Amino acid sequence: MHHDRLAAEAGEGTSGVLEATTATFAEHRELLFSVVYNLLGTVTDSEDVLQDTWLAWAAGGREEVANPRAYLVRIAVNQALSKLRSARRSREDYVGPWLPEPLVTTADTADSTERGEAVSLAMMVVLETLTPLERTVFVLHEVFGYDHPEIASILERSPAAVRQVAHRAREHVQARRPRFEPDADARRAATERFLAAAIGGDLPALLEVLAPDVTFSTDSGGKLRAARRVIQGRDKVARMVLANVSNYGLAGLTIRYAEVNGGPAALLFGDARLFAVLAVDLNEEDGRVRALYTILNPDKLRKLAEQLRTHP
């Protein structure tokens, strides 16, 4: 009897520890997901990193952790940095332009664990041009507000080294990304004008909405017919867009708008199936479209489609 009572008490104690461990991780999961997603650009890889972070957290030794948030961020960031380095090598063999996996961030369609700081698709494309270390330092400092000594502690580097990396990354980003950030209404209106012209086959209207030096990036992963390089120039982009409308029969698509990666985007559906995600970036001077990002790769749309079915 005495043994049974002690075993029951031990079981209750173990259960209580597990509940506390789970609650602490759940409290910080949204932050962890946001940081890791902005480093990796894919939902699936981000979820894998969070799973590994949870296993490390649940393995024990937590009684020595004075700051669980800092401890969890350090584990997640270093796991993500390692995965980012290996991903960069594999992306060299990717067919066509590589764009991030889109993440719906609208409150009524996104799970709370998938909300948080959201970097636009345009900025995510710029981040892809940084080294893994530069991207990690930039995201932690510029997006999440960590200071250089905090980042140095996370990455186990000197503050001076982190400052040097941060300076290099910031210069790199500023050279490739205008400081102007168009408001959501202007981007939504430009997206609507672009799609109306494209689907209507109206070449003059399409040329009017596009900037002279517009770029068109299509991520199909080689799974659908699409340009295997970034197309640049208004005439080339307009003709490529109209050819795609004809080839894919886009005139019959249903269009929905949602907040994707913190900004407005068009979700294109064919026969109730998510076919593509389209986002635009605008010029500051005239509000014309300076960049088009279209994600067709069904592997990158699967999670988003599931998310929309769960939260229609």
Side-chain angles (χ1 to χ4, degrees):
M1 181 72 76
H2 179 65
H3 173 78
D4 291 343
R5 181 174 60 80
L6 289 178
E9 290 175 354
E12 290 173 3
T14 301
S15 175
V17 170
L18 180 59
E19 288 179 3
T21 302
T22 303
T24 299
F25 184 81
E27 178 185 352
H28 301 295
R29 190 186 188 283
E30 183 175 331
L31 169 67
L32 298 175
F33 181 90
S34 295
V35 171
V36 173
Y37 171 76
N38 282 308
L39 293 181
L40 299 179
T42 71
V43 175
T44 302
D45 286 344
S46 299
E47 290 174 343
D48 288 345
V49 167
L50 259 63
Q51 178 65 18
D52 291 341
T53 303
W54 158 251
L55 292 174
W57 172 245
R62 295 174 303 280
E63 61 278 359
E64 301 175 4
V65 177
N67 187 335
R69 175 188 172 111
Y71 179 84
L72 288 166
V73 168
R74 185 169 73 251
I75 294 174
V77 166
N78 282 285
Q79 293 258 12
L81 180 55
S82 176
K83 189 175 281 288
L84 182 59
R85 285 174 172 143
S86 61
R88 283 296 168 86
R89 291 189 291 271
S90 66
R91 287 175 194 173
E92 292 175 0
D93 299 324
Y94 193 80
V95 178
W98 190 95
L99 295 175
E101 186 176 349
L103 180 67
V104 172
T105 48
T106 305
D108 61 354
T109 57
D111 187 279
S112 62
T113 60
E114 296 179 344
R115 293 198 300 270
E117 297 295 332
V119 172
S120 69
L121 286 176
M123 178 59 81
M124 294 281 273
V125 170
V126 174
L127 294 182
E128 279 294 308
T129 65
L130 300 177
T131 69
L133 181 60
E134 287 171 346
R135 181 169 184 164
T136 301
V137 171
F138 183 88
V139 166
L140 288 174
H141 184 60
E142 302 290 339
V143 180
F144 293 94
Y146 283 86
D147 61 31
H148 295 141
E150 288 176 313
I151 298 172
S153 176
I154 291 170
L155 299 177
E156 297 183 344
R157 293 172 180 263
S158 71
V162 166
R163 286 190 189 92
Q164 187 175 34
V165 173
H167 177 72
R168 191 165 63 239
R170 188 166 53 252
E171 283 192 333
H172 189 103
V173 169
Q174 289 176 348
R176 289 161 176 78
R177 175 70 179 152
R179 296 183 182 181
F180 168 69
E181 186 67 32
D183 64 53
D185 290 341
R187 287 169 63 187
R188 165 74 181 262
T191 304
E192 291 176 345
R193 289 197 303 273
F194 166 78
L195 284 172
I199 294 174
D202 189 339
L203 181 59
L206 195 55
L207 292 172
E208 177 61 29
V209 78
L210 299 176
D213 58 349
V214 61
T215 60
F216 181 27
S217 304
T218 304
D219 181 340
S220 71
K223 298 179 187 251
L224 293 170
R225 186 170 54 181
R228 297 197 173 187
R229 60 184 179 85
V230 176
I231 306 300
Q232 184 165 17
R234 180 161 49 197
D235 289 341
K236 290 181 180 178
V237 169
R239 296 184 190 286
M240 176 63 72
V241 167
L242 293 182
N244 286 347
V245 170
S246 175
N247 291 337
Y248 288 120
L250 301 187
L253 289 179
T254 300
I255 303 171
R256 286 175 53 186
Y257 290 90
E259 182 185 289
V260 173
N261 291 72
L267 311 182
L268 310 182
F269 294 83
D271 297 324
R273 179 181 65 86
L274 181 61
F275 172 76
V277 172
L278 168 74
V280 305
D281 199 19
L282 307 183
N283 272 339
E284 179 177 9
E285 304 79 27
D286 54 17
R288 288 181 172 175
V289 175
R290 62 180 290 272
L292 289 161
Y293 305 100
T294 305
I295 302 167
L296 298 173
N297 187 339
D299 292 342
K300 292 187 177 182
L301 300 179
R302 188 170 296 115
K303 288 279 187 182
L304 192 152
E306 292 172 0
Q307 193 180 7
L308 293 173
R309 282 195 296 270
T310 305
H311 305 277

